């Protein structure tokens, strides 16, 4: 039986209507589903720890480690030439202002003022909340240029490091560095008299200038090898800590101690000889230093020597400071007695005696070390410092 045309049309319209309703409902459902999915994704993003950082961090999946930020450290001409005092300290200061440093650092522009009015600077490296402190000094003797140069090189290497074990070490132990103890003498040696050793004190009698800062500290002051003559290379000065440069070190140590810092190690970098010298540098061990420290010092000097050999291939000889020669008023003996551990060293950097005159005799004097040796000597310095820090950390 055939349906009348009007019924057929009515059926068609109903069918069309249903189709539209079905299509609209499907679109609505899809829309709801999409919005629900988007909201849940956004919520999970907010809960994820990766989202705590910046957008780039948030983009990494939990399995991917974000790239460590590389410190922006500029080595400048550190390994090309010996820098004047102001340039050398500028390198320390500008590095500390650099971006992305992984170790906390602070530049203290003035812990004292030299005889000629130059600032004596210090640098704090590492976790300020850690109270174990290792003191490092460079450039006590003017003509020993490699000391402040290699110390700067070691610092730049440390500042640019992303090695996790090194960074962990600086969380436990702080370094307090005086990069150039004797800026006047150093610049005088650089500009006028290459073999100058002392500071630039204008001694009252006669024309002879300068005090040997490594005879001016308050331990066994004047006991031996510390002249009373201003013309001597080892003139001790008018009294212990008579010089602003040695006084600055004493005041720095005392002020850090009063803030609760414990001095657990010391290295004073000199040249030359390739030696790791340990105290007592004069006489016997004082009763304030524990007996076990004697063996500890010997062992640690040996360990430092082996570590240097590993990193740079250079041979340093561990030796008792007084076996080399006893002196009174040295920085190493002073820190030996005033530090908590007695772990105090003088390291005589390159060259070692037998290499003073190399094959072509380019250097006939050990104090004159070509700049080409600065970078490698920086490795010696860095190895020595890190070995001591690891030992006390
Ligand atoms: O004589 C010094 O001050 C040091 N040698 S240097 O050639 N750099 O001048 C050595 C000091 C060793 N320390 C003690 N003997 N206490
Ligand atoms: Zn020296």
């Amino acid at each position: 039986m055939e349906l009348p045309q009007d019924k057929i049309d009515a059926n068609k319209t109903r069918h069309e209507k249903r189709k539209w309703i079905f299509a609209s409902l499907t679109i609505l459902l899809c829309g709801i589903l999409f919005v629900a999915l988007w909201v849940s994704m956004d919520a999970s993003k907010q809960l994820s720890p990766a989202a705590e950082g910046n957008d780039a961090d948030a983009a990494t999946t939990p399995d991917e480690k974000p790239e460590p930020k590389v410190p922006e450290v500029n080595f400048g001409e550190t390994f090309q030439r010996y820098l004047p005092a102001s340039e050398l300290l500028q390198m320390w200061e500008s590095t500390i202002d650099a971006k992305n440093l992984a170790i906390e650092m602070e530049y203290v522009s003035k812990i004292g003022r030299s005889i000629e009015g130059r600032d004596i600077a210090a640098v704090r490296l590492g976790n300020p909340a850690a109270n174990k402190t290792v003191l490092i000094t460079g450039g006590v003797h003017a003509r020993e240029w490699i000391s402040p140069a290699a110390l700067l090189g070691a610092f730049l290497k440390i500042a640019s490091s992303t090695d996790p074990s090194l960074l962990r070490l600086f969380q436990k132990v702080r370094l307090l560095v005086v990069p150039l103890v004797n800026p006047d003498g150093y610049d005088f040696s650089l500009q006028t008299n290459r073999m100058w050793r002392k500071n630039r004190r204008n001694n009252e009698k006669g024309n002879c200038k300068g005090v040997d800062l490594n005879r001016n500290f308050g331990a066994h002051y004047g006991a031996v090898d510390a002249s009373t003559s201003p013309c001597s290379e080892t003139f001790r000065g008018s009294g212990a800590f008579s010089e602003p440069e040695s006084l600055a070190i004493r005041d720095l140590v005392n002020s850090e101690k009063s803030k609760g810092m414990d001095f657990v190690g010391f290295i004073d970098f000199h040249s030359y000889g390739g030696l790791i010298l340990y105290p007592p540098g004069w006489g016997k061990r004082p009763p304030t230093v524990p007996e076990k420290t004697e063996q500890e010092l010997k062992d640690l000097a040996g360990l430092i020597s082996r570590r240097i050999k590993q990193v740079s291939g250079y041979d340093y000889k561990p030796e008792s400071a007084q076996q080399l020669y006893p002196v009174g008023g040295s920085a190493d003996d002073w820190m030996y007695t005033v530090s908590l551990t007695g772990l105090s060293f003088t390291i005589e950097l390159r060259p070692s005696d037998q290499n003073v005159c190399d094959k072509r005799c380019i250097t006939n004097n050990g104090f004159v070390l070509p700049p080409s040796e600065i970078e490698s000597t920086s490795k010696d310095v860095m190895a020595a410092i890190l070995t001591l820090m690891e030992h006390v950390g």
Side-chain angles (χ1 to χ4, degrees):
M1 191 182 84
E2 269 194 11
L3 283 172
Q5 191 55 45
D6 59 336
K7 274 223 170 135
I8 292 170
D9 288 348
N11 268 353
K12 256 189 188 167
T13 321
R14 232 182 290 134
H15 188 70
E16 285 292 308
K17 255 189 197 165
R18 263 196 230 123
K19 249 169 74 183
W20 274 108
I21 291 168
F22 183 72
S24 318
L25 276 172
T26 314
I27 290 168
L28 193 73
L29 212 69
C30 284
I32 291 168
L33 267 170
F34 178 78
V35 170
L37 204 72
W38 186 76
V39 166
S40 79
M41 267 173 65
D42 199 50
S44 75
K45 193 173 155 190
Q46 274 178 33
L47 289 171
S48 143
E52 283 168 18
N54 56 26
D55 286 353
D57 288 340
T60 58
T61 65
D63 292 339
E64 273 176 61
K65 283 212 178 93
E67 281 291 301
K69 288 175 180 167
V70 180
E72 289 173 24
V73 172
N74 176 7
F75 282 71
E77 292 185 80
T78 305
F79 299 137
Q80 272 100 60
R81 64 185 174 97
Y82 290 101
L83 307 174
S86 61
E87 273 186 62
L88 187 107
L89 292 176
Q90 181 55 36
M91 285 298 294
W92 283 82
E93 192 170 9
S94 60
T95 303
I96 289 163
D97 291 340
K99 288 199 188 98
N100 290 345
L101 293 178
I103 300 172
E104 279 197 61
M105 300 184 187
E106 187 192 352
Y107 187 83
V108 185
S109 59
K110 193 173 177 172
I111 57 158
R113 211 163 196 222
S114 68
I115 287 282
E116 289 177 347
R118 289 176 177 82
D119 285 345
I120 300 168
V123 173
R124 292 192 183 94
L125 296 180
N127 181 3
N131 51 4
K132 282 183 181 172
T133 304
V134 166
L135 178 68
I136 304 291
T137 49
V140 165
H141 286 145
R143 62 192 171 198
E144 299 164 14
W145 298 356
I146 190 62
S147 159
L151 188 51
L152 171 63
F155 160 69
L156 296 174
K157 282 174 193 283
I158 289 171
S160 55
S161 173
T162 52
D163 175 356
S165 60
L166 183 142
L167 302 183
R168 273 197 300 276
L169 190 56
F170 277 87
Q171 282 302 308
K172 291 193 280 182
V173 185
R174 286 186 343 145
L175 272 190
L176 186 59
V177 187
V178 182
L180 185 59
V181 176
N182 179 10
D184 297 350
Y186 176 76
D187 269 355
F188 186 69
S189 167
L190 222 65
Q191 288 154 14
T192 311
N193 178 349
R194 178 64 186 85
M195 284 303 130
W196 191 257
R197 167 182 168 95
K198 302 184 281 182
N199 74 351
R200 293 295 293 156
R201 161 75 71 187
N202 209 345
N203 297 310
E204 276 164 35
K205 289 179 199 139
N207 297 322
C208 294
K209 275 192 162 192
V211 168
D212 183 351
L213 297 175
N214 214 25
R215 302 294 181 274
N216 193 247
F217 282 74
H220 311 297
Y221 174 78
V224 64
D225 188 34
S227 176
T228 51
S229 162
C231 295
S232 163
E233 284 282 65
T234 54
F235 176 45
R236 64 170 86 154
S238 58
F241 297 112
S242 59
E243 303 311 295
E245 296 87 356
S246 48
L247 194 64
I249 305 292
R250 187 192 74 178
D251 291 349
L252 177 70
V253 168
N254 287 342
S255 99
E256 295 288 304
K257 273 185 173 180
S258 72
K259 290 183 216 153
M261 299 305 163
D262 294 329
F263 283 89
V264 292
F266 173 55
I267 306 179
D268 189 15
F269 286 101
H270 286 248
S271 76
Y272 61 97
L275 301 169
I276 298 163
L277 302 171
Y278 53 87
W282 186 88
K284 288 198 176 103
R285 171 180 58 83
T288 46
V289 176
E291 200 184 329
K292 71 169 181 65
T293 309
E294 277 181 23
Q295 193 57 46
E296 197 180 356
L297 277 164
K298 263 187 215 167
D299 292 348
L300 191 50
L303 186 63
I304 293 172
S305 161
R306 288 195 295 281
R307 281 284 293 274
I308 294 178
K309 179 87 180 164
Q310 276 167 10
V311 297
S312 78
Y314 209 82
D315 261 321
Y316 281 78
K317 184 178 167 210
E319 193 178 6
S320 143
Q322 56 188 314
Q323 207 170 306
L324 178 70
Y325 50 80
V327 314
S330 63
D332 56 10
D333 270 338
W334 182 71
M335 278 303 279
Y336 177 56
T337 43
V338 304
S339 69
L340 204 67
T341 57
L343 298 176
S344 169
F345 299 91
T346 292
I347 296 190
E348 300 283 358
L349 294 167
R350 305 178 188 199
S352 52
D353 280 325
Q354 56 274 34
N355 292 333
V356 165
C357 187
D358 63 17
K359 277 181 203 131
R360 287 188 219 103
C361 263
I362 294 166
T363 60
N364 58 8
N365 180 323
F367 297 114
V368 182
L369 193 66
S372 56
E373 293 248 7
I374 301 173
E375 178 160 22
S376 193
T377 313
S378 295
K379 292 183 186 164
D380 305 349
V381 168
M382 183 166 162
I385 294 174
L386 295 182
T387 307
L388 175 57
M389 286 176 76
E390 278 161 19
H391 181 82
V392 297

